[in-house]
Amino acid sequence: MTAGRALPRTLVPLKDESLTGYLLRLSHRLEFTPLELGQVLGLAGGSWSAGLAGRLILEIPADRATQFAERAQLTAAEVDALTYRPDAGVYPAVDVTPYATVNIWTQRVVRFEPWLRNLSTRYCPRCLAGDGSIIQARHGGSWSKYWRFAPVFACVEHGRLLDHLCPVCAQPALTRNPAYSSQLIPLSAVAGMHPAACRAPTADRRKACHGRFDEPAATAPTTADPAILQPLLDLQARINSLLTGRDPREIVATSCGRPVTAAQYFADLQAASNMLATVALHPSLADPALPPMPGLERFYTELRAFAADPARRALDPLLKDHTYGRFGSQTAIPLDSAACGCLLVLADGLLSAQDPYAAANRLAVLFGNVDLSRCLPNIGR
Ligand SMILES: [Zn+2]
Ligand SMILES: [Zn+2]
């Protein structure tokens, strides 16, 4: 390898491509392991980090970003765009400024922020299969960095909900090795794998699953009510336009009748979805726990079907690993794209109230109908 010099070949980043996806594609082209490529690009090794650190998805330190850009023959802006740093102004979950005085702020965001899916990602098989160009046919399509954002649950371009599990091992896509959960890429020292291959550790921890995420014929996740797909795609298109807005200070949405920036809208959407999830995703609450908002009954029904299906919930790592007693305070959101989309339609519906008082009244009715002692076991016992 040629540490210290530009690489013999490189790749231009694809639209919305993540740092993970770029390293997987370029290492495939160069016939390196992702870890070897990280060492050549200055992202791994030395005193800084032996492996590819998971926190690199937030931002790459300036001196290392310069080295990366020189060796991969990219501009500084192209390197920056592979991380979430340019998105921090519109999407609060990746904004690290609240942690500026905390030494371990990156770890806090990476490990504990529920609206950044750091331990795995959703994906669109048709995007990963590439656009038919020679370079994408060889090395695959773009792993969108936005697929790790909780409110990105559908691919508008391909008109489908996103998947989140490997079709072979049923582990969440690009899941971390449990033994090295702070790493950017699972089993990054394993050679010879396609960029769209699973890489999850198998029962023998040293071997990687060879399942593939780029099966364009793969069946998309379905909804019990097919009529809700289009409204889910419409919400996704609106969310995408907020995520990719150029000026974070611009007023681009309304929340409870008030004009807001994208960051304010996402903060309110997260708060609304947390409150709704506490009751709508609680499987043992008797129906109708939530009087559905006018026109949104179908989404509530779909969400309750998800909550009542233990098999479907068991495939959702966050919901599987947390008891529902803790779930409300965990502010979690389903990985399951249909359930996630329905929860967000309801949350967006709450924010469409004409003023904060109307939203508060809707919440009062909602919580007034719920026996909270069943949601939170420590209350009233
Ligand atoms: Zn797609
Ligand atoms: Zn797998």
Side-chain angles (χ1 to χ4, degrees):
M1 286 179 287
T2 55
R5 282 181 280 156
L7 293 164
R9 280 167 294 166
T10 187
L11 285 172
V12 176
L14 300 174
K15 181 176 179 291
D16 299 337
E17 188 163 34
S18 65
L19 178 62
T20 304
Y22 183 77
L23 294 176
L24 288 170
R25 287 195 313 122
L26 183 55
S27 62
H28 187 253
R29 182 166 202 206
L30 294 167
E31 300 183 352
F32 292 171
T33 69
L35 179 59
E36 287 169 340
L37 176 62
Q39 289 163 342
V40 172
L41 294 175
L43 298 177
S47 59
W48 195 60
S49 168
L52 284 161
R55 62 182 182 273
L56 288 169
I57 64 172
L58 290 172
E59 64 180 329
I60 300 172
D63 55 333
R64 291 181 181 261
T66 303
Q67 198 173 44
F68 178 179
E70 284 172 3
R71 294 183 183 175
Q73 298 157 61
L74 303 180
T75 65
E78 285 173 326
V79 168
D80 202 30
L82 294 170
T83 74
Y84 294 126
R85 204 207 52 77
D87 305 296
V90 296
Y91 191 67
V94 295
D95 182 2
V96 298
T97 49
Y99 304 94
T101 58
V102 182
N103 284 337
I104 55 165
W105 52 262
T106 45
Q107 287 94 325
R108 288 200 175 200
V109 175
V110 165
R111 289 179 60 191
F112 301 121
E113 173 47 60
W115 270 36
L116 174 63
R117 295 301 203 175
N118 183 49
L119 295 179
S120 68
T121 180
R122 295 192 183 110
Y123 67 97
C124 171
R126 292 188 61 190
C127 284
L128 290 175
D131 62 359
S133 63
I134 291 173
I135 202 80
Q136 292 198 33
R138 283 185 186 154
H139 307 298
S142 173
W143 278 99
S144 168
K145 63 176 176 177
Y146 297 118
W147 291 339
R148 288 183 188 268
F149 285 3
V152 175
F153 54 85
C155 175
V156 174
E157 188 181 340
H158 293 117
R160 55 167 287 156
L161 297 170
L162 299 180
D163 285 295
H164 69 280
L165 299 174
C166 169
V168 172
C169 71
Q171 297 190 70
L174 293 186
T175 196
R176 302 288 176 76
N177 182 331
Y180 303 100
S181 64
S182 64
Q183 295 297 298
L184 184 69
I185 294 173
L187 298 184
S188 62
V190 173
M193 299 195 72
H194 190 274
C198 170
R199 283 189 171 269
T202 57
D204 172 358
R205 289 257 173 110
R206 290 160 301 179
K207 292 190 177 158
C209 171
H210 281 258
R212 291 278 288 257
F213 299 119
D214 58 348
E215 287 295 331
T219 312
T222 53
T223 50
D225 176 0
I228 68 172
L229 179 60
Q230 190 55 52
L232 292 181
L233 292 171
D234 293 344
L235 176 62
Q236 187 66 74
R238 192 148 52 86
I239 285 172
N240 290 355
S241 73
L242 295 177
L243 285 173
T244 53
R246 287 300 102 206
D247 183 356
R249 293 161 301 180
E250 198 179 344
I251 299 298
V252 287
T254 58
S255 173
C256 301
R258 297 177 174 187
V260 292
T261 63
Q264 289 167 331
Y265 172 80
F266 284 121
D268 288 353
L269 189 69
Q270 182 168 358
S273 107
N274 291 345
M275 288 187 276
L276 293 169
T278 304
V279 289
L281 282 174
H282 195 291
S284 70
L285 284 178
D287 267 327
L290 170 63
M293 283 165 263
L296 301 181
E297 294 83 355
R298 292 178 301 177
F299 303 94
Y300 178 65
T301 303
E302 189 85 23
L303 191 58
R304 291 292 293 172
F306 167 79
D309 184 345
R312 212 166 141 202
R313 274 203 340 266
L315 297 174
D316 220 300
L318 261 180
L319 305 192
K320 181 175 63 178
D321 294 342
H322 294 91
T323 67
Y324 277 84
R326 294 173 60 202
F327 176 59
S329 59
Q330 289 287 333
T331 63
I333 186 167
L335 260 183
D336 181 294
S337 49
C340 172
C342 290
L343 179 62
L344 293 177
V345 166
L346 294 173
D348 182 67
L350 188 64
L351 300 186
S352 73
Q354 61 183 10
D355 57 47
Y357 302 103
N361 284 339
R362 286 183 186 176
L363 283 173
V365 173
L366 159 64
F367 283 100
N369 270 16
V370 172
D371 176 3
L372 282 178
S373 68
R374 300 178 67 179
C375 294
L376 306 167
N378 294 330
I379 291 180
R381 298 198 180 168

